[in-house]
Amino acid sequence: MILVHQNSPLLNHPYIYPSTVPLARETIRLLEIQPGTPPESLRCRLIQASLSAVPTYSAISYEWGKSEVYVTISLDNKPFGIRPNLWTFLMHLRDTDTPKVVWVDAVCINQDDMTERGAQVSLMGEIYNKADSTLIWLGAKDSK
């Protein structure tokens, strides 16, 4: 089931990042997209990793879009709001049998924590450099 909401990505159930302690220096979160097939909901989990021993992952670069509408995914079995363009991209990436590991700023960085956001943005060059691949998404072919 897809839940679409206006204005607030988190509504009355804000997602609480796994650790209230700030990420250690050189530590990032990665998003593991769980296997599935439509019409199953998008299920994901966050993994913390050191940049010095990071697992294989793809970094995602995408257009955030101007939408004030958010789609709810399951993140660590809790609701989490993402923009429709990112939801479409993650659905395209999802495999039917194998988890996919990606880094995507909107989810892997706690956007409400300005200290963390600043520290993680300063690591973005290294995050993209250490990625096995970089995937770019400009939107679905029929979205323009």
Side-chain angles (χ1 to χ4, degrees), residues 120-134:
Q120 291 290 295
V121 166
S122 71
L123 295 174
M124 284 176 75
E126 192 171 355
I127 291 168
Y128 279 94
N129 189 44
K130 296 237 177 185
D132 187 53
S133 63
T134 299

Side-chain angles (χ1 to χ4, degrees), residues 4-97:
V4 178
H5 307 287
Q6 294 283 6
N7 301 325
S8 173
L10 304 177
L11 298 175
N12 297 324
H13 306 285
Y15 178 83
I16 306 298
Y17 278 80
S19 174
T20 55
V21 177
L23 288 175
R25 184 170 158 75
E26 306 292 316
T27 300
I28 62 170
R29 291 186 194 93
L30 296 170
L31 182 68
E32 184 179 77
I33 305 165
Q34 299 301 306
T37 56
E40 293 175 4
S41 299
L42 191 58
R43 294 176 299 107
C44 304
R45 72 182 189 104
L46 286 175
I47 304 164
Q48 285 194 19
S50 168
L51 280 172
S52 62
V54 71
T56 300
Y57 69 96
S58 296
I60 292 179
S61 179
Y62 69 101
E63 178 187 29
W64 275 50
K66 298 176 184 166
S67 176
E68 292 299 320
V69 174
Y70 292 84
V71 180
T72 300
I73 65 169
S74 174
L75 182 61
D76 295 327
N77 296 314
K78 297 176 183 87
F80 187 86
I82 60 174
R83 294 188 181 196
N85 193 40
L86 177 57
W87 180 84
T88 301
F89 190 17
L90 295 178
M91 289 296 282
H92 275 83
L93 290 175
R94 180 171 69 171
D95 190 79
T96 57
D97 301 312

